[in-house]
Amino acid sequence: MRILIMGGTWFLGRAVAEEALRRGWEVCTFNRGRSGLDVPGVRALHGDRTDPQDLAALASYGPWEAVVDTSSSELPPRDVLAGARALQAVTGRYVYVSTVNAYRDWPEAPLTETSELLDGPPEADAEYGRLPDGWEGPDWYYGRQKAGAERAVLEVFGERRSVLLRPGVILGPGEYVGRLPWWLRRAERGGRILAPGDPAKSIQPVDVRDVAAFALDQAAASAGGAYNVVAPVGRETMGGLLEACLEVTGRRGKLCWVPDAFLLEQAVEQWTELPLWRTHAGVWNVASQRAQAAGLVCRPLAQTVDATWQWLRAGGVPVAHPRAAEHGLDPCEEQRLLQMVDARVSHFEGEM
């Protein structure tokens, strides 16, 4: 099978390229050649996907049986639309990696593939959906952009030839956002570790290698459709994740579980200061039965933790990305919060 990967040099795109080569497929990648190294064995094509001339030149290297688009997270819908139009005549199917953010109710309510998407027209530019000054409601900008990009793919390729993948959180070797690496480094440092919320709370991260395998399965399938690409609800927990981090790093630390209410009272930033911690009802309640029926297999989260730690220990360095700086709790702030918890516990015990 001959495929084109839009991206292909880091994290998910790289995992897709490596898995496709492992399957014996012929792989072309298209990117600007600025982030990450080309995977040995691919045919690397370089250019700017926002440039019509570069897109026309790319199309001349076709045909391909499928395109897997992993590199449009920061592109507005109109650029995805232009790329899809340029490739429509030289590829059979378009696999687009979107996000659960495209749903109107994420992260507030449980979701299925039939849940309502945000507005976002296929021809929208990068300004569409930006928040006005003083806005206090939900930040739907990114979701609106991705929903519009989904509609761009559908407009060109139609439902039968379009595959829309909606992951939540993707973890694993090469992760550039820094969520799991931060927890691993925190576990390595040891001591008392502030652990957020309920250790039994269900979480749904998915391994990057499993997303890559599922994307390629759908590239080779005969039907289109939309899929939530997340781990099954209830199988993995926050406690299991942090225990796995302790295990692979030598159990230098002790988890100190702190209630959600206290963390919210202290204005700890959900999702970033304590990565993967979020209290909204729907954040980890995304149905994935449809994807599982189509072949999605999610390895145990402990295996993802171990593989990521081995990658870090071997000197793995993610591609630089501004989002990485957002993640992690300052050590001094962590100690302050733990001391406050200790004081409250002591006060409560003193009144008994």
Side-chain angles (χ1 to χ4, degrees):
M1 184 159 175
R2 189 168 194 257
I3 67 165
L4 169 66
I5 302 172
M6 304 295 274
T9 60
W10 50 292
F11 201 39
L12 178 57
R14 190 173 191 86
V16 172
E18 291 172 343
E19 174 63 17
L21 291 171
R22 190 191 66 79
R23 297 183 182 196
W25 294 6
E26 183 180 348
V27 181
C28 295
T29 59
F30 181 71
N31 53 69
R32 295 178 297 177
R34 299 178 185 174
S35 300
L37 301 175
D38 294 315
V39 175
V42 307
R43 182 175 187 179
L45 307 172
H46 292 157
D48 186 340
R49 59 182 296 177
T50 66
D51 186 323
Q53 292 184 337
D54 286 358
L55 288 174
L58 171 64
S60 70
Y61 288 96
W64 298 277
E65 290 165 83
V67 171
V68 182
D69 188 350
T70 67
S71 69
S72 64
S73 62
E74 298 177 5
L75 288 180
R78 69 178 183 184
D79 287 336
V80 177
L81 181 64
R85 285 171 173 166
L87 297 171
Q88 192 272 340
V90 293
T91 188
R93 299 166 62 71
Y94 202 109
V95 180
Y96 180 70
V97 181
S98 183
T99 171
V100 294
N101 293 66
Y103 291 113
R104 178 174 293 276
D105 286 337
W106 190 87
E108 301 295 342
L111 299 171
T112 71
E113 286 86 356
T114 61
S115 298
E116 181 185 1
L117 296 177
L118 288 164
D119 62 306
E123 67 281 358
D125 63 15
E127 295 305 308
Y128 186 86
R130 288 200 187 277
L131 300 178
D133 292 340
W135 176 259
E136 297 182 355
D139 185 355
W140 284 335
Y141 172 73
Y142 180 61
R144 283 170 161 165
Q145 290 278 308
K146 297 297 279 188
E150 286 190 17
R151 294 185 178 99
V153 173
L154 286 168
E155 179 175 305
V156 177
F157 282 85
E159 292 186 2
R160 187 179 64 82
R161 298 170 61 202
S162 300
V163 178
L164 307 173
L165 305 184
R166 297 174 185 143
V169 171
I170 304 176
L171 302 178
E175 184 203 333
Y176 62 92
V177 176
R179 296 181 175 111
L180 180 52
W182 186 85
W183 279 117
L184 284 164
R185 293 302 188 192
R186 179 63 193 90
E188 179 188 30
R189 196 166 76 241
R192 298 177 70 210
I193 301 171
L194 192 158
D198 180 358
K201 184 179 180 65
S202 172
I203 60 175
Q204 296 179 273
V206 62
D207 192 289
V208 64
R209 296 162 293 180
D210 297 332
V211 180
F214 185 67
L216 293 175
D217 290 345
Q218 297 312 303
S222 58
Y227 301 94
N228 295 330
V229 187
V230 296
V233 174
R235 196 188 74 176
E236 309 289 354
T237 65
M238 194 69 182
L241 169 70
L242 299 192
E243 285 291 340
C245 290
L246 286 176
E247 184 67 28
V248 300
T249 57
R251 289 205 167 272
R252 297 183 178 93
K254 177 183 178 181
L255 299 175
C256 301
W257 292 94
V258 177
D260 290 335
F262 173 80
L263 297 173
L264 294 173
E265 174 189 308
Q266 296 301 311
V268 177
E269 287 291 335
Q270 298 190 55
W271 211 236
T272 53
E273 284 194 293
L274 291 170
L276 304 178
W277 169 66
R278 200 161 185 171
T279 59
H280 302 74
V283 66
W284 299 121
N285 198 344
V286 180
S288 60
Q289 290 91 334
R290 190 168 191 268
Q292 293 171 49
L296 174 65
V297 177
C298 295
R299 71 194 70 201
L301 185 54
Q303 293 182 14
T304 305
V305 171
D306 182 68
T308 305
W309 179 239
Q310 297 306 322
W311 169 70
L312 289 171
R313 290 189 66 192
V317 178
V319 169
H321 195 280
R323 291 177 65 189
E326 301 173 357
H327 291 83
L329 186 64
D330 178 81
C332 293
E333 177 66 5
E334 180 183 26
Q335 291 307 307
R336 185 187 74 83
L337 293 170
L338 287 171
Q339 289 169 6
M340 287 186 66
V341 172
D342 291 343
R344 291 192 181 191
V345 170
S346 298
H347 177 74
F348 176 76
E349 290 176 346
E351 292 182 343
M352 293 181 65

